[in-house]
Amino acid sequence: MRIGVTDKTPIVKPPLKVVTPPPLATQGDLLGTLENAQESKTTPLATPHFFSPRLLMQSLLFNSIADPDLQRYQDILKGKVREDLKKFKTPGEMFGVKGGKIVSIPVPKIGIPHFTRGSGKGGGTAQGDGEEGDVLGEPGDAKPGKGAGSEPGEHIQEIYVPMTLSEIAETIIKDRKLPYLKPKGYGAAKEKSIKWNTKSKVGIDLDINATIINAIKRVGAEIGDKFDLETDEGLNALLDQVAIEEQDKVFISWREIEKPQVSVAIIYKMDVSGSVTDEMKEKVRKAARWLSIIIQYQFGLVRAELRGDKFSNEHFGEGVEEVFIIHDSSAKEVTEEEFYTTRENGGTQISSAYELEEKIINERYDPDTWNIYSFYFGDGDNWGDDTPHSIDLMKRLAERVNEVGYVQVESHYGSGDFYDYVKEFASEQGHVRAVKITAEGTEDLDKVIDEMLGDKGDKKD
Amino acid sequence: MVPRISPVIQIIPPVTQKTVAGGSSAGNERDFLVCSESTTANTTNQTSIELPYEYKAAAAIGRGITGQRSYPVSPETNPEYWNWNKKIFELAKKEGLDPYDVVYWVCKRDQLLQAAARGGFPVNVSHWRNGMEFYELHIGHEFNVSRIYEMIINNDPSHAYLLEGNALVDQKLVMSHCMGHSDFFKNNIHFRFTNRSMLNRIAEHASYQRNVMDSEGISFLEMEQFLEKAYSIDDLIDYSNLEPRQLKYELHQNRPIAKVPDDYGIIDASELPSHMQGRINNPERLREERDAEKERLDREAQKIPKYPDYDVMGFIIENSKVLKLWQRQVLMHAREQAYYLAPQGLTKIMNEGWAVYWHRRLMSHPEIVDLRDASAFADHNAGTLAMSGGRLNPYKVGYEIFMDIEERWNTGRHGRQWEEIEDERERRDYDDKSMKGFEQIFEVRKWEKDMTFIDKYLTPEVAKKLKLFTWEQEGENYILASREFEKVKAKFVEQLFMGTGIAVRDGNYDNKGELLLHHDFRFDLKQDYALATMKNLLSMWGNTIHLNTKLYWASDDENPTPVRIIAENITLADSGKAKAGIKITIRRALEEVNKETGLIDYTPTNVLYETMEEVKS
């Protein structure tokens, strides 16, 4: 497209005051820029062609700074600080589209109280379709001014954006510690791994920050005396002299390191026999899930600490192996999914689960190199003759593993007496723990976690 | 060598100067960072072009942006955008607009959102509220719920943001849109008192916050909590008078003391013989002088607003007896920002409508958009003008009314002569070819605000086109009440009334130094928020607060009950220990007109509700 030469409108003033050179104002000039604008479809010169070290350093410096206000807000949301703001927290919600589906995104907000409109009494105006007398929406979520049609009618799938598993674990169980954990396998097994933590004079990835600092050091040593480095002017003048030379360059390099290893096996056993109602199964599954999350998080922490790393989400659950066993009158090993979903009807022999567990430990998890945690969930009903055998097996197990846990769920009609046997035997040893919970509600899940993972003194072998 | 850049207006309170002189660690850190001010200038040394002063100021102040590799559009940094900017600016001027220069900043999404969360300013007072806004905007962008089309700061020159990586047609759309906004900022009468170097001013607010925390030893938590209190009353300003009144309180002024000092009026005569002392410091004269001084101080203490003062925030800053120096300053900053934003709230519909009108006009110009881009432009424009169900879209409403005004004034379909025509068809087809539409919209842009704009220029035809309706609450539900034009317009105008309508009636209520506020009832206050705000006011005023308002006491009440809400400091006796506490009382009130002043007064009667709680420090 060309602009006709007949266009005689003079340019009054350039849009921004550029001092030199004045891009005023001839027709040819305008024409030239127009043609350029059409032709210059190339990538705009986003960064100046000359990299001042100072500019670069600044940009590196600021890029690494996260938004402190956002950080603070997230801390408040998680309840780490400012308990007093809790009452003004509202569970906000947004509807968005992801993968072709409408999803509900929780956007919790904290209101700052001010004098504002309370009820919808008095009415207002809005825009949209509808007949007189139509109902516009739920009063609960409808703010004045919000009306019909703002709620999508399609199926809404809930997604949780704000928290990862380890964040949840962190909020709930900060103070709890994994009991009796030992750095087993410390000397024997070491993983080999590559870590990008070394500087080198040759390489591919230039460490720009270190390079610039080197250059500044070198130039400062050479000509630093000529400048007054106490003042900004002096410093600026010096920095203007800095240019990177070959000798300043520093590259990032890798080194092979050996990581000390520590591993955990968690063995969950559950009674799925007919006497355990669905409600009770739900409850023990919840308890098992929480224990699993907490152990994985705590173990991640321990492992990170042992290796001198900083804990991150990647450490969550690393090095933890989980074994799931369900039993009625016979036991079998299942996957995690099956463990949380299977129902069976049959008699109950607790010993079957412990037998299978012993077998698995013998085959796969040598107690010398593995930290083993064994949990049992059930209603405490057992086949009469089986109880002494089961207790024997438990005792044998207790000598080999870090902790033995027993969780018994009670329904309205009471529960079995296996708990009493375990309790009797548990009182002798701190690392054998038993707890009784009710099937209803979720309040006593805390009790399970406290009992199973609380500090009860050293393990008495 | 680039000289250090000083802010345009330098109002530095004494405490800040102390910090700089003392050379604390914060001062040093700041000095180091200020080195970055010349980032843009440095590149220009290479090409020996000096950028305008505003760039440097912005680079220094908005280093939150420059640091993160965003850059201002200039012939060096981005010639393509620069050329388009120049062209669109020239075209806008040719078409009759009178905008400020606009500096465009190209930045990445998160930087744009961070600035948006701070009211458009890259650097602002730090508070978690900014984080919350950012989080919401971020999620909205992530899931395609909301999208920021444009953001522009009312400043001279205006600063606007372009999202890096957008298509050129989008950037041109934003530039055209900004022309409309910038012109509106410059020429609308309600913006005449806004500070046109607010970018600098707000950076000063932020640096004051940082420095005062260091120099006064204020903890982060204390500052945060005080800011929440400040924000909780920052809508209590006078929207009818947009020129913030000069506060009588000044920083160097000593606090007035209600007690006459012991040595008042005594002349130092210790070197004179003793018989002279009795004559010079005559007890009778001293007593008279002291009495006169006492009376003066009493009068000063009893000072009340002569008329109801809607600038509650200003009144508290001036008259509170408990605010510390830094708290007063932070409140003043919050008030300044509130007054700066007030005209934008008052003209939201017009401002957006005007900008849409102009981007459509400029973008349909063959010099700006060629046909290949036309469909993309149409898409984006449709997005802006979409009627999302239920909510009022200010872009759409404003645009349609501006278009309607232009058409009606072009054809002469307004005024008495036209209204007196009775024949329906003749009315519709009336055309006197006066072609005054274009002039008229410029008049409207200059003089009106949303309320008067809707009142004068909303017509039944446009209301129908916009599908406007009124809604009412009926029991549990909200229902569509009416589409009748008169009702819709009346409700709409009422809804556009800004501010809560809360005014200071008496700053020395009951001669006890208590504060009486009065709410001109238009809607009932949200109760839990209102009580929490009363507590905040109490801590800032330091003495009992009274608020006259009306509440729907029972949820099925037809008419609201006039009440007096009272928040006061009390001492709780808890197992022998005295503890500071707050008592909140709601009393039923009698409503009557004060014959002397002609205002409505409330007389509190029986107690409806009472609660006490301990203050946790």
Side-chain angles (χ1 to χ4, degrees), chain A residues 138-339:
Chain A
E138 294 288 311
D141 55 8
K143 292 189 194 80
K146 186 184 175 191
S150 59
E151 320 297 326
E154 292 172 56
H155 174 66
I156 296 163
Q157 180 197 352
E158 177 101 357
I159 59 164
Y160 297 97
V161 185
M163 278 187 161
T164 64
L165 272 181
S166 77
E167 275 175 327
I168 293 170
E170 190 188 351
T171 8
I172 300 168
I173 39 96
K174 250 176 134 176
D175 311 329
R176 298 195 171 91
K177 284 226 161 56
L178 209 52
Y180 315 123
L181 186 72
K182 290 176 191 163
K184 282 186 180 174
Y186 199 93
K190 276 186 181 167
E191 297 169 47
K192 282 198 175 166
S193 142
I194 286 170
K195 211 167 184 183
W196 290 85
N197 61 352
T198 319
K199 303 280 188 290
S200 153
K201 278 280 166 192
V202 290
I204 303 160
D205 286 350
L206 187 66
D207 184 342
I208 297 169
N209 212 351
T211 307
I212 291 169
I213 287 170
N214 267 357
I216 295 173
K217 276 184 192 162
R218 179 177 53 76
V219 175
E222 284 168 9
I223 54 169
D225 305 339
K226 295 180 193 164
F227 300 96
D228 179 12
L229 295 180
E230 296 298 311
T231 63
D232 286 346
E233 285 79 8
L235 191 62
N236 281 354
L238 172 67
L239 290 180
D240 283 336
Q241 301 296 322
V242 174
I244 297 168
E245 287 180 14
E246 198 57 40
Q247 49 181 319
D248 303 323
K249 286 185 181 170
V250 176
F251 297 89
I252 299 167
S253 180
W254 51 267
R255 172 183 286 173
E256 210 171 70
I257 54 161
E258 287 183 333
K259 291 181 176 178
Q261 186 178 337
V262 54
S263 314
V264 162
I266 314 172
I267 301 170
Y268 303 94
K269 301 172 292 297
M270 179 161 61
D271 182 359
V272 291
S273 63
S275 63
V276 186
T277 63
D278 285 352
E279 195 184 11
M280 289 153 90
K281 278 178 197 151
E282 235 5 85
K283 185 67 179 274
V284 298
R285 278 167 189 150
K286 264 182 204 151
R289 190 84 191 107
W290 276 116
L291 281 175
S292 161
I293 288 175
I294 292 166
I295 290 174
Q296 293 190 39
Y297 170 72
Q298 286 294 356
F299 183 63
L301 276 185
V302 170
R303 199 169 155 106
E305 195 184 340
L306 202 63
R307 295 177 176 190
D309 293 346
K310 201 161 171 264
F311 178 75
S312 70
N313 277 344
E314 284 164 25
H315 289 98
F316 184 81
E318 192 196 5
V320 177
E321 288 203 13
E322 291 178 308
V323 178
F324 300 93
I325 295 169
I326 55 174
H327 80 94
D328 43 14
S329 56
S330 65
K332 65 176 170 185
E333 191 185 346
V334 293
T335 63
E336 184 174 1
E337 199 187 338
E338 283 168 340
F339 181 77

Side-chain angles (χ1 to χ4, degrees), chain A residues 1 3 7 9 11-21 23 33-34 36-38 40-42 44-46 48 50 52 54-55 58-63 65 67 69-70 72-74 76 82 84-85 87-88 94-98 103 105-139 142 144-150 159 161-162 232-233 235-237 240, chain B residues 1 4 31-33 35-36 38-39 42-43 48-50 52 54-55 67 69 71 76-78 80 82-87 89-90 94 101-103 114 118 126-132 134-136 139-140 143 145 168 220-221 224-225 228 231-232 235-236 366-367 387 389-393 396-397 466-473 476-483 488 491-492 495 500 502 523-526 529-530 532-534 537 547 552 555 557:
Chain A
M1 186 180 69
I3 299 301
D7 187 358
T9 319
I11 296 171
V12 186
K13 181 184 159 207
L16 285 158
K17 295 163 214 147
V18 175
V19 183
T20 48
T33 53
L34 289 181
N36 283 344
Q38 287 303 310
S40 63
K41 289 282 183 190
T42 52
L45 195 61
F50 170 72
S52 150
R54 190 169 69 235
L55 182 63
Q58 285 295 333
S59 63
L60 286 169
L61 206 67
F62 283 116
N63 244 11
I65 294 177
D67 188 341
D69 290 340
L70 180 65
R72 178 75 180 164
Y73 176 60
Q74 282 178 339
I76 292 171
R82 301 298 306 277
D84 51 326
L85 290 172
K87 59 185 166 189
F88 297 119
M94 242 185 219
F95 294 102
V97 180
K98 185 132 197 165
V103 292
I105 310 142
V107 189
K109 292 200 79 167
I110 296 170
I112 292 178
H114 54 279
F115 290 123
T116 183
R117 188 172 183 156
S119 68
K121 282 181 179 155
T125 46
Q127 234 179 325
D129 298 313
E131 294 290 315
E132 282 179 24
D134 282 0
V135 176
L136 296 174
E138 294 288 311
K146 186 184 175 191
S150 59
I159 59 164
V161 185
D232 286 346
E233 285 79 8
L235 191 62
N236 281 354
D240 283 336
Chain B
M1 199 64 259
R4 282 283 292 277
D31 289 347
F32 171 64
L33 295 181
C35 294
S36 71
S38 57
T39 45
N42 198 30
T43 60
S48 77
I49 288 180
E50 198 183 332
E54 288 82 2
Y55 277 21
R69 292 195 204 138
Y71 59 93
E76 286 75 36
T77 53
N78 196 330
E80 188 180 17
W82 174 263
N83 286 336
W84 280 113
N85 167 23
K86 211 163 126 184
K87 256 170 77 172
F89 186 85
E90 292 307 329
K94 209 162 81 182
D101 293 342
V102 183
V103 180
Q114 274 187 358
R118 285 160 179 73
S126 162
H127 190 255
W128 56 259
R129 189 176 70 161
N130 303 334
M132 180 170 77
F134 174 74
Y135 184 72
E136 197 182 354
I139 297 276
F143 292 93
V145 181
L168 183 62
F220 183 75
L221 187 68
E224 185 179 85
Q225 280 171 333
E228 274 150 39
Y231 291 148
S232 85
D235 49 355
L236 300 182
E367 281 184 30
M387 282 195 274
R391 247 158 275 186
L392 281 167
N393 182 347
K396 177 82 178 166
V397 175
L466 291 170
K467 299 179 180 170
L468 294 177
F469 61 82
T470 64
W471 55 266
E472 270 170 18
Q473 193 182 24
E476 289 289 284
N477 290 321
Y478 292 104
I479 58 155
L480 197 159
S482 173
R483 288 189 182 275
V488 167
K491 204 41 100 181
F492 201 168
Q495 192 174 313
T500 47
I502 289 176
F523 49 77
D524 61 316
L525 300 176
K526 193 174 174 192
Y529 268 30
T533 313
M534 290 289 283
L537 276 169
L547 172 67
Y552 293 93
S555 57
D557 275 358

Side-chain angles (χ1 to χ4, degrees), chain B residues 247-263:
Chain B
L247 296 181
K248 283 174 210 128
Y249 182 83
E250 289 185 12
L251 281 171
H252 52 74
Q253 179 190 322
N254 285 327
R255 300 288 318 284
I257 308 157
K259 190 168 158 268
V260 182
D262 289 339
D263 57 351

Side-chain angles (χ1 to χ4, degrees), chain B residues 339-579:
Chain B
Y339 266 108
Y340 168 79
L341 293 172
Q344 289 181 32
L346 284 172
T347 58
K348 177 82 178 158
I349 291 175
M350 284 183 75
N351 208 334
E352 296 298 357
W354 184 249
V356 171
Y357 177 90
W358 278 98
H359 86 227
R360 290 189 65 137
R361 197 180 168 108
L362 295 177
M363 291 294 279
S364 57
H365 202 280
E367 281 184 30
I368 305 297
V369 175
D370 64 27
L371 287 172
R372 281 167 299 175
D373 291 340
S375 66
F377 160 65
D379 282 354
H380 292 267
N381 193 41
T384 326
L385 290 179
M387 282 195 274
S388 70
R391 247 158 275 186
L392 281 167
N393 182 347
Y395 296 84
K396 177 82 178 166
V397 175
Y399 173 70
E400 290 294 344
I401 296 178
F402 269 119
M403 288 299 279
D404 183 59
I405 293 170
E406 191 179 13
E407 199 200 328
R408 286 197 294 141
W409 261 260
N410 272 344
T411 55
R413 272 184 241 145
H414 62 94
R416 195 176 210 184
Q417 203 184 352
W418 176 72
E419 275 163 19
E420 279 170 358
I421 300 170
E422 283 181 5
D423 182 40
E424 191 76 5
R425 173 174 285 190
E426 205 180 320
R427 268 170 81 94
R428 203 185 59 208
D429 296 341
Y430 185 85
D431 190 355
D432 66 354
K433 305 239 174 3
S434 53
M435 298 307 281
K436 291 266 173 59
F438 197 62
E439 282 169 42
Q440 182 63 22
I441 56 170
F442 273 86
E443 280 294 293
V444 170
R445 168 272 257 158
K446 190 164 181 63
W447 298 110
E448 310 296 344
K449 58 179 174 179
D450 281 353
M451 226 166 131
T452 55
F453 181 63
I454 298 295
D455 193 21
K456 289 184 191 166
Y457 298 107
L458 182 69
T459 59
E461 292 77 35
V462 176
K464 199 175 172 193
K465 193 172 177 188
L466 291 170
K467 299 179 180 170
L468 294 177
F469 61 82
T470 64
W471 55 266
E472 270 170 18
Q473 193 182 24
E474 205 177 82
E476 289 289 284
N477 290 321
Y478 292 104
I479 58 155
L480 197 159
S482 173
R483 288 189 182 275
E484 218 174 294
F485 174 65
E486 291 302 323
K487 283 184 188 166
V488 167
K489 193 170 106 176
K491 204 41 100 181
F492 201 168
V493 171
E494 188 197 313
Q495 192 174 313
L496 289 170
F497 192 91
M498 287 281 284
T500 47
I502 289 176
V504 179
R505 278 288 173 84
D506 198 340
N508 186 19
Y509 182 67
D510 212 7
N511 204 12
K512 287 180 193 157
E514 299 175 357
L515 184 69
L516 174 65
L517 302 172
H518 186 92
H519 178 210
D520 303 338
F521 185 81
R522 287 200 329 278
F523 49 77
D524 61 316
L525 300 176
K526 193 174 174 192
Q527 285 188 24
D528 55 339
Y529 268 30
L531 296 189
T533 313
M534 290 289 283
K535 282 183 213 160
N536 290 345
L537 276 169
L538 178 63
S539 75
M540 276 184 277
W541 180 253
N543 205 337
T544 308
I545 310 277
H546 301 256
L547 172 67
N548 295 335
T549 183
K550 289 183 186 178
L551 295 176
Y552 293 93
W553 189 244
S555 57
D556 53 349
D557 275 358
E558 278 299 305
N559 294 313
T561 319
V563 292
R564 164 78 60 89
I565 307 178
I566 304 162
E568 55 194 320
N569 284 319
I570 52 165
T571 311
L572 290 170
D574 181 20
S575 62
K577 267 187 277 178
K579 284 178 182 168

Side-chain angles (χ1 to χ4, degrees), chain A residues 351-406:
Chain A
S351 63
S352 67
Y354 280 100
E355 272 166 11
L356 180 60
E357 183 180 6
E358 195 171 0
K359 192 171 153 228
I360 289 173
I361 289 176
N362 287 340
E363 280 172 11
R364 286 188 251 160
Y365 303 110
D366 181 1
D368 292 337
T369 49
W370 288 86
N371 290 285
I372 302 169
Y373 292 82
S374 157
F375 298 108
Y376 180 89
F377 305 91
D379 65 347
D381 271 335
N382 198 14
W383 193 257
D385 302 345
D386 188 47
T387 301
H389 181 43
S390 302
I391 294 290
D392 279 348
L393 281 169
M394 269 182 96
K395 280 181 181 159
R396 222 155 67 208
L397 183 71
E399 284 164 16
R400 305 174 70 188
V401 305
N402 295 42
E403 186 186 328
V404 178
Y406 176 81

